[in-house]
Amino acid sequence: MIAPWIPNCISFLSGLPEIKRRRRPLVILQAYLDESGTRNQDVCFVLAGFIAPAEVWANFSDQWQQCLDAPPALNYFKMREAVNNPTGAFRNWKRSDVRRKVQELVEIIKSNVKLGIHCTIPISGFDEIIAAQNAGPFSNPYSMAFYAVLAGIGWEALEHKADGLDVIFDIQDKYSGFVKGVYPLMRRRVDSSLGQILPVEPMFKDDRQFLPLQAADMLAWLFRNAFNGRRTEWEWIANELMPVIPMSEYSTIYTDERLRNVQRLTAEVKYSPEEIEEVKEALQWVKRRNPSANRKPQPVVST
C-alpha cells in the first residue's frame, strides 16, 4: 500500500479519513511579492505583488513557463529589461517582439489573478522621519514595507477564510535574515487571529525559479513608475490590469503624517529583555552579511 502524500500546509487533514478529506474544501492562499525603488533616483519605494489560491498559481506557473518557452524564447522576465531598450534577457530582441511577449504575459496575469497588494513609501519622507531616527535595517523602507504587506495579506487570508497562507518574497540578500529574525516578534505582537493565519516563516525565493515573482516584479515596477510621475509607452499594462485586478483594501500608501505616527508609536513600544535579544541577534546577521549596514540611510534596491 502506497502512503498518500499530504503537503505540510494541510497536514492537519491527516486526522480525517479519506472520504472526509475529499469533502473538505481547502483554501490555501499564496502571495508573491517583489520590491522596486532606489534612493536618489525614485520618489518612492514599493513592495507589491499578487494574491491567489495555490491551485491558481500552479496553473499560472505552467502558462507562464509555456509563454517564456514559446519563440522567441525568453529565459526569464524582468520588467526593467523589457523597458530599457531592451536589455538583459531581451537583448537583441525587436521592439515588436518585446511588446508581444509582454502582452502575452499580461494576459496570463489577467486570466488567473484576481487580487493585488502593495505598500508604497515616499523615500524623502521616510528618510526625514524614520531613517533619521534609526540605523541599520530600520533605516531602509524595505523593513517597514515588509511587515505592512505581511499584515495586509494576513487580513485578506482571514477574510477569505483561508486554511493556510504562504508569503513568498523575491530574494533580498541584505535584509532577508533580519526580517526573518525579527518576524517571530512581530507575529506575537499582532492581533491573535492575525498571528494564527500568518505563516510560521516568510519565504525568500529566486524569481527565475518561482515564476509568480516575475509577475510581482511587473506590478512593483508599474507602481514605482506611476508614483515617479513618468510617462512611458508601457502605461497600457496598468490600463489592462486595473479593471480586472483590484488592489487589496489593505494596500498602504504612507503619507508623512502616517510615517510620523509610525515613528511615534514605535518609540512608545516597550520590549522585554528577551525581545531585545531577538532584535540584536537579527542585527548581527545583517552586520555579518553587510559590514556597512550600520550606516544610515541604506541604499534601496531597485528592480
Side-chain angles (χ1 to χ4, degrees):
M1 178 178 179
I2 300 175
W5 175 72
I6 300 178
N8 290 335
C9 60
I10 57 173
S11 58
F12 61 88
L13 290 183
S14 61
L16 298 176
E18 181 177 358
I19 189 170
K20 291 186 177 180
R21 288 201 304 271
R22 292 184 179 276
R23 290 176 183 169
R24 172 74 182 267
L26 286 176
V27 179
I28 307 298
L29 285 184
Q30 293 181 326
Y32 288 84
L33 300 121
D34 196 11
E35 76 279 351
S36 186
T38 304
R39 278 193 174 98
N40 303 320
Q41 293 185 30
D42 297 301
V43 171
C44 66
F45 173 83
V46 177
L47 184 59
F50 296 107
I51 306 169
E55 63 269 22
V56 170
W57 284 125
N59 186 57
F60 168 96
S61 298
D62 289 344
Q63 293 178 23
W64 192 273
Q65 187 63 59
Q66 290 168 9
C67 183
L68 293 180
D69 292 341
L74 189 65
N75 290 331
Y76 62 89
F77 173 79
K78 191 168 283 292
M79 189 67 201
R80 73 161 179 254
E81 295 180 359
V83 171
N84 292 332
N85 294 320
T87 59
F90 286 100
R91 188 180 302 278
N92 299 323
W93 280 49
K94 295 179 181 179
R95 292 301 293 171
S96 58
D97 288 338
V98 175
R99 167 84 182 221
R100 189 178 304 109
K101 183 70 78 171
V102 174
Q103 178 70 67
E104 292 168 353
L105 294 173
V106 168
E107 290 301 321
I108 292 171
I109 297 173
K110 288 168 58 179
S111 64
N112 286 279
V113 183
K114 303 304 178 188
L115 186 65
I117 192 168
H118 73 95
C119 177
T120 301
I121 301 175
I123 293 175
S124 60
F126 180 87
D127 284 348
E128 178 183 342
I129 298 165
I130 305 294
Q133 304 297 322
N134 296 279
F138 293 110
S139 69
N140 191 303
Y142 182 87
S143 297
M144 176 182 287
F146 178 90
Y147 293 112
V149 165
L150 259 175
I153 294 168
W155 288 119
E156 284 288 353
L158 287 174
E159 291 189 5
H160 283 81
K161 301 186 185 307
D163 294 282
L165 174 64
D166 296 322
V167 186
I168 302 96
F169 296 85
D170 191 21
I171 290 175
Q172 230 286 350
D173 288 338
K174 284 188 176 180
Y175 297 125
S176 59
F178 171 76
V179 292
K180 287 173 71 173
V182 179
Y183 175 72
L185 173 58
M186 170 262 192
R187 188 165 174 250
R188 290 196 302 269
R189 283 180 168 264
V190 298
D191 181 273
S192 59
S193 57
L194 180 60
Q196 289 176 6
I197 192 62
L198 286 175
V200 173
E201 183 177 77
M203 292 182 279
F204 292 83
K205 299 296 183 181
D206 185 344
D207 62 356
R208 299 196 187 189
Q209 297 183 34
F210 287 75
L211 303 183
L213 290 171
Q214 297 180 22
D217 169 86
M218 182 187 293
L219 185 63
W221 185 93
L222 290 170
F223 269 101
R224 185 196 66 177
N225 199 65
F227 277 92
N228 281 335
R230 296 171 185 157
R231 304 300 301 271
T232 75
E233 63 178 289
W234 300 95
E235 292 176 15
W236 63 267
I237 301 177
N239 293 335
E240 291 206 15
L241 293 179
M242 286 175 59
V244 294
I245 306 179
M247 288 297 109
S248 165
E249 65 177 298
Y250 299 106
S251 296
T252 306
I253 300 176
Y254 278 97
T255 62
D256 285 358
E257 181 180 0
R258 293 192 70 178
L259 288 170
R260 291 190 185 94
N261 287 336
V262 169
Q263 180 59 28
R264 177 179 55 81
L265 292 172
T266 301
E268 293 174 356
V269 172
K270 304 299 181 184
Y271 294 98
S272 69
E274 293 77 15
E275 290 173 332
I276 292 173
E277 286 303 313
E278 285 185 77
V279 175
K280 285 182 178 179
E281 185 175 342
L283 287 170
Q284 286 301 316
W285 183 94
V286 174
K287 291 179 180 180
R288 288 193 296 270
R289 295 291 297 271
N290 179 28
S292 63
N294 58 333
R295 301 172 189 166
K296 59 182 185 182
Q298 292 294 302
V300 181
V301 177
S302 175
T303 64

